[in-house]
Amino acid sequence: MKEVSSDFVREEFIEFFKSKKHSQIQPASLIPENDPTVLFTTAGMHPLVPFLLGEKHPQGKRLCNFQKCIRTQDIEEVGDAWHLTFFEMLGNWSIGDYFKKEAIEFSFKFLTGKKKGLGLPVEMLAVTCFIGDKDCPKDNEAAKVWKKLGIPAHKIAFLPKAQNWWGPAGLTGPCGPDSEMFYYVGKEKPLKKSNPGTDEKDWCEIWNDVFMQYNKTNEGKFEELRQKNVDTGMGLERTTAVLNGFSSAFETDLLKPIFDQAASLTKLQPEIPEVQKSLRIITDHLRAATFILGDEKGISPSNVDQGYVLRRLIRRAIRHARLIGIEENFTVRVAQKVVERFKGIYPELDKNHQRIFEELDREETRFKQTLEKGIHLAEKEFSALQKGETVPAKIVFDLYQSFGFPLEMTEELAREKRLEIDVKGFESLLLEHQELSRKGAEQKFKGGLSDHSESTTALHTATHLLNEALRRIVDQNIFQKGSNITAERLRFDFPLDRKLTAEEIKKVEDLVNQKISEGLTVEIEVMGVEKAKAAGAQGVFDAKYSDSVKVYTVLNSETQEVFSREICGGPHVKSLKELGKFRILKEESSAAGIRRIKAVLEK
Ligand code: GLY
């Protein structure tokens, strides 16, 4: 079968919507114009905010375009088959014109249409709709339209805000329930499972129709908008991939030439899983960096805002290059491929190519010097330790913080010297640091980011409850092996050599929710490591790192009955009453013998 190009998908999309009376609008800069609360354009709707709120658009009520976007919230996931920090979004909009029925019909026709459209088989599609909450009712209307078009009821999942709500792009503005379209990418054929939206391995999200009928206010309220809008976003990389039956976005003509260029610089086989992961990270991050540097706004690597994200992307790419044995300066060679591949569609890359290459090379040279100094320090510290000893968390953190050493690099260096690393201690220090810098950011934006901080604090407390519930219901030996919290969800890794049963998951959820409804309180006490150990606290630090630690206890303040006690950097909520409803989204394997749970708190 002949490969379908991404250019075909992009053009076909625009042509389809033009034939449905949409005007094509120009793609915007990667740096949003009038919204200081977001660093990058994360969707095609950013420049349209005033029009979604009621202003008249000069090109009419039906619009479409393709838009370069950056999203960094899933940066840790990049390296798998589908996650990207830079991607192109295809979008169509109704600015107070058509609504749900037409939007869904357009989407369905474009996805499945044989003449004008992509001709994807209906049986490989599944969709999700909003389940409803205090802000907005269940979206039976959208589900009804999908059913009428031929999507069977068992392939329509209803999910809460964490999945089926989009916006606002910044902190306030237009938003609403959405309906997302997924393509089956699982191995089992014929497909048995239909749980789109919660099973990322088998279902790849390709398109999202947002029904923008609310405005989120400064106070966090959802007000009905005067006009009802539609905002959609289709991922070009993912759609091109599934259309060709590829099992990752990196096989598409949008990423493969860049991946191949990076692969030509290492002697290792790109098929080896760790090598492939590093090559994907290099490909994605340097493509993103090239677009940021090539944008008309002229961003350079720095320690603040967009410049900081840019620096992180470049440095992470360099670290991964080092992991796979690329020692020479290489970023320009990869960026040259990006410019060559995309200058036809994004002429700014060609116009600014000089600047892109100079900035990259300068940053690469600068980072390598820092790396040299860091390696020097690491060697000095490591030489004081005996084989088999543990490198204290403080040193691992210093290397990370002052020299930009990621954990995996310090681990690699330690392994060479047959030393262990205090990973848990490092993660606690990191969490503490992130919370401190988040507090700084909050002050800067005055309340702007406090929502974010509140929800991460709540999820952090929920992580402790989850840990304890797993220990009580599944296995007393469970402990926190890793944790990652965003404003939307928690992620918790723990050792166990089997999958949890559905019944266990339900019991764990129920126990956490029971403790929340009992309104237990969280108390903090600073004490010595030995005393904390004696008090039965979980997560004991390396005694060398610090003599006194913070111990958080979740307990019934009347009976003093303790539910959980952990050593941790904080912060936590004061009362579990503030948490809302705890729900496990996923339980999966993360590495050999390690399980991973993703969970949310619903208000
Ligand atoms: N703005 C719609 C989306 O990003 O999915």
Side-chain angles (χ1 to χ4, degrees):
M1 207 177 76
K2 198 167 163 294
E3 184 175 333
V4 183
S5 72
S6 58
D7 285 345
F8 170 83
V9 180
R10 203 191 285 105
E11 280 159 27
E12 200 64 9
F13 181 92
I14 300 293
E15 283 317 308
F16 178 88
F17 282 98
K18 276 187 178 166
S19 80
K20 308 287 178 203
K21 302 200 164 45
H22 290 64
S23 310
Q24 184 180 0
I25 54 171
Q26 283 309 306
S29 160
L30 267 178
I31 317 300
E33 286 289 338
N34 299 312
D35 193 346
T37 66
V38 275
L39 294 178
F40 293 103
T41 296
T42 61
M45 57 75 71
H46 282 241
L48 295 174
V49 169
F51 309 102
L52 296 165
L53 290 173
E55 238 174 77
K56 208 166 160 236
H57 194 284
Q59 284 178 261
K61 292 182 169 182
R62 293 184 176 203
L63 309 170
C64 64
N65 85 345
F66 59 88
Q67 174 64 47
K68 48 183 180 177
C69 300
I70 297 254
R71 287 187 189 179
T72 52
Q73 73 262 39
D74 288 334
I75 190 165
E76 297 289 337
E77 319 268 346
V78 176
D80 71 2
W82 302 110
H83 285 94
L84 300 169
T85 57
F86 174 89
F87 63 99
E88 286 181 77
M89 183 182 280
L90 305 171
N92 60 285
W93 292 275
S94 154
I95 312 279
D97 190 45
Y98 58 84
F99 201 47
K100 261 174 221 185
K101 180 171 177 293
E102 295 87 338
I104 293 175
E105 283 170 358
F106 285 152
S107 292
F108 185 81
K109 273 198 191 132
F110 182 65
L111 287 174
T112 62
K114 291 226 164 53
K115 269 210 190 107
K116 272 197 204 164
L118 303 178
L120 289 169
V122 181
E123 63 272 18
M124 299 292 268
L125 296 172
V127 301
T128 59
C129 299
F130 184 55
I131 197 166
D133 64 9
K134 67 181 193 331
D135 300 317
C136 173
K138 181 173 178 179
D139 202 349
N140 287 319
E141 199 186 330
K144 212 167 125 193
V145 183
W146 284 119
K147 271 186 218 156
K148 213 164 159 208
L149 290 166
I151 304 284
H154 74 276
K155 289 224 191 101
I156 304 175
F158 286 93
L159 297 169
K161 272 212 183 82
Q163 286 100 348
N164 279 83
W165 189 274
W166 206 89
L171 295 167
T172 58
C175 57
D178 68 35
S179 184
E180 303 183 359
M181 290 148 262
F182 292 77
Y183 194 81
Y184 185 71
V185 293
K187 300 268 173 291
E188 275 175 66
K189 305 242 166 84
L191 64 155
K192 293 203 184 94
K193 297 186 226 144
S194 54
N195 44 353
T198 47
D199 176 1
E200 278 183 23
K201 270 209 194 78
D202 287 343
W203 292 98
C204 176
E205 185 196 341
I206 51 175
W207 202 351
N208 182 14
D209 287 356
V210 188
F211 311 117
M212 292 205 146
Q213 63 203 85
Y214 297 98
N215 177 35
K216 188 173 183 192
T217 65
N218 268 329
E219 293 76 41
K221 287 208 186 74
F222 295 93
E223 277 173 357
E224 284 269 354
L225 284 174
R226 256 175 300 147
Q227 70 188 27
K228 287 192 162 73
N229 311 292
V230 171
D231 157 44
T232 92
M234 173 184 242
L236 179 62
E237 291 77 1
R238 291 180 176 193
T239 306
T240 306
V242 302
L243 198 55
N244 284 293
F246 295 151
S247 50
S248 99
F250 292 88
E251 290 168 57
T252 63
D253 62 8
L254 294 158
L255 289 150
K256 190 159 189 306
I258 303 153
F259 182 96
D260 288 348
Q261 174 81 345
S264 75
L265 304 171
T266 170
K267 293 191 186 69
L268 301 173
Q269 290 302 317
E271 295 79 24
I272 302 169
E274 293 79 29
V275 179
Q276 183 188 57
K277 182 174 174 194
S278 288
L279 286 169
R280 284 176 174 176
I281 291 171
I282 293 167
T283 302
D284 169 78
H285 286 14
L286 290 182
R287 187 168 79 130
T290 303
F291 270 90
I292 298 172
L293 285 164
D295 196 89
E296 294 300 352
K297 294 277 162 66
I299 302 294
S300 300
S302 73
N303 286 334
V304 291
D305 301 337
Q306 288 92 352
Y308 179 64
V309 175
L310 173 62
R311 170 161 282 169
R312 260 179 73 200
L313 289 165
I314 299 170
R315 292 189 168 194
R316 197 147 178 265
I318 296 170
R319 287 187 220 125
H320 277 274
R322 197 178 172 281
L323 283 178
I324 58 170
I326 303 173
E327 302 280 346
E328 297 299 303
N329 277 19
F330 75 104
T331 55
V332 173
R333 290 178 65 184
V334 177
Q336 278 165 340
K337 259 291 177 246
V338 180
V339 173
E340 184 189 311
R341 174 66 189 81
F342 291 99
K343 65 184 180 190
I345 297 149
Y346 298 98
E348 64 273 22
L349 294 182
D350 198 27
K351 194 173 146 215
N352 300 318
H353 71 270
Q354 198 87 14
R355 165 170 206 279
I356 298 172
F357 301 153
E358 275 169 20
E359 290 276 10
L360 274 176
D361 201 49
R362 190 174 314 138
E363 181 66 6
E364 187 166 13
T365 304
R366 201 186 288 142
F367 182 48
K368 280 192 166 164
Q369 284 162 0
T370 317
L371 276 181
E372 290 306 319
K373 284 194 208 136
I375 289 174
H376 195 73
L377 172 85
E379 277 170 358
K380 197 168 128 232
E381 296 285 355
F382 291 5
S383 65
L385 298 167
Q386 303 292 325
K387 244 186 235 171
E389 274 196 279
T390 301
V391 179
K394 175 84 173 58
I395 294 173
V396 185
F397 186 72
D398 276 354
L399 285 167
Y400 170 85
Q401 180 65 9
S402 311
F403 300 96
F405 273 43
L407 182 62
E408 75 252 16
M409 208 161 103
T410 308
E411 271 176 332
E412 186 195 39
L413 291 169
R415 215 177 300 127
E416 285 166 15
K417 302 267 185 276
R418 313 222 168 177
L419 298 170
E420 303 284 325
I421 295 263
D422 179 6
V423 176
K424 209 160 180 264
F426 168 77
E427 281 171 352
S428 302
L429 285 175
L430 186 62
L431 189 65
E432 198 171 352
H433 172 76
Q434 282 167 343
E435 269 141 15
L436 288 174
S437 45
R438 195 165 291 138
K439 288 230 170 65
E442 262 165 49
Q443 272 149 15
K444 189 168 151 203
F445 287 109
K446 274 247 167 75
L449 294 177
S450 62
D451 271 346
H452 181 255
S453 153
E454 264 161 39
S455 67
T456 53
T457 303
L459 285 164
H460 187 193
T461 304
T463 303
H464 281 213
L465 300 177
L466 170 62
N467 187 8
E468 184 58 31
L470 285 165
R471 288 164 49 78
R472 292 191 186 201
I473 285 161
V474 182
D475 188 333
Q476 261 302 312
N477 297 317
I478 284 176
F479 61 92
Q480 174 177 323
K481 184 89 182 132
S483 159
N484 169 289
I485 294 171
T486 69
E488 284 76 36
R489 56 116 185 99
L490 65 86
R491 196 176 82 193
F492 182 76
D493 293 352
F494 58 99
L496 191 71
D497 54 11
R498 63 171 178 86
K499 202 174 161 45
L500 294 189
T501 64
E503 201 194 339
E504 282 170 330
I505 292 177
K506 171 92 180 27
K507 277 192 180 157
V508 168
E509 272 181 349
D510 287 351
L511 180 56
V512 172
N513 282 319
Q514 185 199 326
K515 294 298 149 188
I516 292 174
S517 67
E518 284 170 13
L520 301 189
T521 51
V522 185
E523 288 179 5
I524 169 178
E525 207 183 324
V526 178
M527 59 178 89
V529 174
E530 290 309 318
K531 188 168 169 224
K533 273 189 203 169
Q538 288 277 301
V540 174
F541 276 27
D542 183 342
K544 262 184 278 173
Y545 146 64
S546 163
D547 290 338
S548 40
V549 290
K550 286 197 229 168
V551 174
Y552 283 88
T553 305
V554 179
L555 80 172
N556 182 321
S557 58
E558 274 166 34
T559 64
Q560 291 290 306
E561 193 193 329
V562 171
F563 179 64
S564 91
R565 179 168 278 157
E566 286 195 47
I567 295 177
C568 154
H572 286 280
V573 299
K574 292 204 173 56
S575 160
L576 300 197
K577 278 205 195 94
E578 300 160 32
L579 291 192
K581 188 162 184 285
F582 175 79
R583 203 161 73 82
I584 293 178
L585 296 180
K586 270 207 255 190
E587 190 273 338
E588 61 189 354
S589 159
S590 130
I594 306 291
R595 306 298 300 176
R596 168 168 289 181
I597 282 181
K598 285 189 183 167
V600 290
L601 286 169
E602 289 159 3
K603 289 287 160 199

